[in-house]
Amino acid sequence: MSRLPVRKTYKLFIGGDFPRSESGRTYEAQGQNVARGSRKDARDAVRAARSGFGKWAGMTAYNRGQVLYRIAEMMEARTAEFAELCSGRAEVEESIDRWVWYAGWADKYAQVIGSSNPVAAPYFNFTFPEPTGVVAIVAPDEPSLGGLVSRIAPVIVGGNAAVVLASETAPLAAIELSEALATADLPGGVVNILTGYRSEMAPWLAGHMDVNAIDLGGADGDAPELERLAADNVKRVVRGRIGEQSPYEIAAFLELKTVWHPIGV
Amino acid sequence: MPAGWEYAPAPESRDIVTLEERYGLFIGGELVDPRSGEYFPTLNPGTEEQLAEVAQAGPQDVDAAVGAARGAYDNGWSSISPAERAKYLFRIARILQERSREFAVLESMNGGKPIRESRDVDLPLAAAHFFYYAGWADKLEYAFPNRRPRSIGVAGQIIPWNFPLLMLAWKIAPALAAGNTVVLKPAETTPLTALLFADVVRQAELPPGVVNIITGDGRAGAELVKHEGVDKIAFTGSTEVGKAIQRELAGTGKKLTLELGGKAANIVFDDAALDQAVEGIVNGIYFNQGHVCCAGSRLLVQESIYEPLIAKLKRRLTTLRLGDPLDKNTDIGAINSKQQLDKITELVAAGEEEGAEIYQPPCRLPEKGYWFAPTVFTNVAQSYRIAQEEIFGPVLSVLTFRTPDEAVEKANNTAYGLSAGVWTEKGSRILSMAQKLQAGVIWANTFNRFDPTSPFGGFKESGFGREGGLHGLEPYLDLGESEVRGG
């Protein structure tokens, strides 16, 4: 007699924990019952992100780079599982390599993006990037893993914390990813992943006063309304491109700070 | 120092400025009558005398200006060699230097700011801005690694009344350097130096339509924002209007940069050089009558030096000279408009009502014009309107703190994040504060310094995008592979 397999409960990822939706609801996707997050879950995720942000942003760039690299390591070990949940092995490998690519940027983008400024007066003046804060990401439906990784990596490598709406139609890769993130030394709350209906959560994130930026890379018809809501607290609105990796994707979620100091004896 | 020293008047001559009775709109290289047929008076806020009439651009006028800009973009400006583009901008910088006294006098007449500031700050910086960005025009590919930046098209630019010509320079110089054409709307109350700039454009022989200037109130700005032929909007002004613009542009894909309000903390630690700090506090809040988005309007003083510092500050206030903006000894000029004076008056009344203690030095205000005495509020709680809202006038709110952490918490307790000041002799503390303060510009042991090479812009609800420096080019370029707003 063959053994009956133990199934997984597909839950949310908030503050480093795996809660069910507070609403007690699920929906069926990819043949599984998946947590159907509510606007309350979205707000809880923003709070978790805000509390995770300080620690993450305060870590050294070298450390953040190592954590991103460890995410790649954790994914590599689960390659077979991931491959079954997205378009296949190629998408998984590309996603892992993307983490490695961004891991290497952690201690370099400040040198590319920052500047020292030769002002016409006796002042030492320099400009350096800082994370924007809490970033909401509307991930695309497809590719369910590649799209997710392409948008999360540039956001967190810069020291931001993210609240991510996973693919609505194919959320299982996102849930698998949250399990990899949970074992990658990423402080709790730095990445929070919500599954469910985008229309039930995205507007609440777009209008949330403690979210500093929103990536609408995966939004379509709802994008204009989300952009309108984002204006309530002058959010940075980014239309991240799904397939792209570049330091400009990191820069989109950074604030530039310029410091002046007199030169004298 | 005794109050009430008498100075002989030392007014700058107005002779150098020649005003028309009435100005049209600068569209396609010419001043043209507005299709709207509407004009409105523009005043000298120091005397309330009418200086001229200017046009109120209507929808058809905005359309004509955008059409002229589009035509100039398509018919040459976008394909002219970048090195030639640079030379036009160098020419503009030189002409501004040559005509700087004329511009400075007109700026003070129309805006109310002291001639010492328009002459020594606004004009040199405006010219320097054009000179700086001129050199970028043919070097853009060095600014953005791994990208081939391209111009965007027509930029719609809306500027405030506090630094009329300087804000024009901040907007037009990077836009043209990047290869765009522009339609610029100066503020309703300060159109004259922008219209005089039209003459600089003529002298520089810029192709017609590359720079268009339309005057009018907020209606003209709103028309410009929603015009379909505009590819990019750059706005400097209030957070309220900035949010409305962001909403209006939602879903259009137009690029947007916003430079909005501020409520900057100017933080003085107990080891600061107090006399220098007092000068920095005064410069931080009374420069340009406090009509400065990055003004140091909240003074945070470490408790142990509160009394000596406030005593020094009050004594310094008695030496500030308020009066004729064209007088070379004037420190504090006129409030820009009746409307702004009303707003300041209302907020100051709210401060008194909420329980703050007001101090104003003995100060005779001129009978005509719009004036407000330099004001300090002590006993201010963080919840008071004068500690939360941008007053945009010569009004300082003083709060205290004990520890650096408390200073950071209070400084960051605002929706704004444009600038901040730190005064201490301890280097490590400066860098620690600079890291923790949520603001785009940190002035350490100085305040209100500006330079074309130095990026300027806000965190949080103070807006997004930077003006100045290499970073000020990005809002006017398409970098190719990514479409990023707010980076």
Side-chain angles (χ1 to χ4, degrees), chain B residues 79-100:
Chain B
S79 52
I80 190 178
S81 99
E84 295 295 299
R85 218 163 63 218
K87 286 182 340 198
Y88 279 114
L89 290 174
F90 280 122
R91 272 191 188 177
I92 292 175
R94 279 296 197 236
I95 296 169
L96 281 177
Q97 288 173 329
E98 287 157 6
R99 299 178 67 175
S100 69

Side-chain angles (χ1 to χ4, degrees), chain B residues 101-334:
Chain B
R101 187 56 52 92
E102 180 186 3
F103 270 99
V105 170
L106 183 58
E107 197 74 301
S108 285
M109 285 169 67
N110 197 197
K113 67 172 62 198
I115 184 71
R116 192 163 47 78
E117 292 177 10
S118 47
R119 183 193 64 198
D120 296 348
V121 180
D122 296 61
L123 258 296
L125 279 176
H129 225 79
F130 277 100
F131 200 92
Y132 174 77
Y133 277 108
W136 270 123
D138 54 359
K139 301 169 189 69
L140 298 174
E141 57 273 28
Y142 296 96
F144 301 97
N146 205 25
R147 285 292 186 277
R148 287 213 158 272
R150 286 168 311 186
S151 56
I152 301 172
V154 176
Q157 307 178 311
I158 301 168
I159 59 171
W161 43 260
N162 55 345
F163 297 91
L165 185 77
L166 183 57
M167 291 300 104
L168 173 150
W170 280 29
K171 293 284 182 285
I172 293 183
L176 298 193
N180 306 285
T181 57
V182 305
V183 177
L184 176 126
K185 191 195 89 65
E188 181 184 356
T189 58
T190 53
L192 293 182
T193 47
L195 291 165
L196 185 59
F197 182 77
D199 199 48
V200 173
V201 170
R202 180 189 63 78
Q203 287 187 327
E205 295 174 336
L206 225 63
V210 171
V211 171
N212 304 275
I213 292 165
I214 56 168
T215 52
D217 60 20
R219 291 171 295 167
E223 289 293 335
L224 184 58
V225 166
K226 67 184 186 201
H227 197 290
E228 286 186 357
V230 173
D231 303 296
K232 188 245 155 48
I233 292 289
F235 171 77
T236 298
S238 73
T239 291
E240 186 192 351
V241 175
K243 288 180 181 180
I245 291 174
Q246 193 179 359
R247 279 185 203 108
E248 177 72 34
L249 293 187
T252 62
K254 288 181 193 174
K255 278 186 92 135
L256 173 65
T257 38
L258 297 173
E259 204 271 85
L260 308 176
K263 192 73 191 177
N266 201 357
I267 303 165
V268 185
F269 284 96
D270 58 6
D271 68 337
L274 283 198
D275 290 322
Q276 287 173 33
V278 167
E279 290 308 305
I281 294 162
V282 168
N283 179 47
I285 185 63
Y286 303 116
F287 173 62
N288 200 30
Q289 299 75 246
H291 299 332
V292 184
C293 44
C294 52
S297 52
R298 285 184 300 151
L299 175 64
L300 299 187
V301 186
Q302 197 154 23
E303 274 183 9
S304 50
I305 52 156
Y306 175 77
E307 281 168 18
L309 184 79
I310 297 303
K312 278 175 186 284
L313 178 62
K314 287 180 176 175
R315 197 166 66 219
R316 178 68 176 88
L317 253 60
T318 64
T319 66
L320 290 176
R321 291 177 50 78
L322 177 147
D324 182 5
L326 284 182
D327 192 308
K328 284 169 270 193
N329 289 324
T330 292
D331 297 305
I332 298 184

Side-chain angles (χ1 to χ4, degrees), chain B residues 431-455:
Chain B
L431 294 174
S432 159
M433 293 297 288
Q435 266 188 342
K436 291 173 186 161
L437 292 168
Q438 292 169 351
V441 184
I442 311 287
W443 285 295
N445 293 326
T446 186
F447 210 94
N448 272 345
R449 300 286 157 198
F450 309 96
D451 192 275
T453 67
S454 179

